[in-house]
Amino acid sequence: RRTDHGLPVHSFQSLLDDLGTLCLNTVSMPSNPAYSFDQPTQPTPLQAKAFDLLGVSP
C-alpha cells in the first residue's frame, strides 16, 4: 500500500526501523588523519517526510 504522496505505508515499528538507518559518519583524510569531520547520511524521501511531519530536522 502507498500513501497519497506515493510513499510506502509503515507500521510504527517499521517506520522506527527505517528512521534508524540514518547515521553520522566521521570522515578523515589519509593525507591528514588528525583532521576529521562528521558527515550525516542523506535521508530517503520517506525519512524526510517523517521528520517534516514531526517538525524536526534529521
Side-chain angles (χ1 to χ4, degrees):
R1 296 178 33 167
R2 299 248 172 215
T3 67
D4 292 340
H5 299 286
L7 299 170
V9 175
H10 278 276
S11 69
F12 183 70
Q13 184 60 52
S14 66
L15 179 59
L16 287 179
D17 291 342
D18 195 332
L19 293 174
T21 64
L22 286 173
C23 46
L24 185 64
N25 297 305
T26 301
V27 180
S28 64
M29 306 302 279
S31 59
N32 187 1
Y35 174 74
S36 65
F37 60 94
D38 292 330
Q39 176 71 44
T41 56
Q42 292 295 314
T44 65
L46 175 71
Q47 292 166 334
K49 182 67 174 171
F51 284 120
D52 182 51
L53 291 170
L54 291 169
V56 296
S57 173

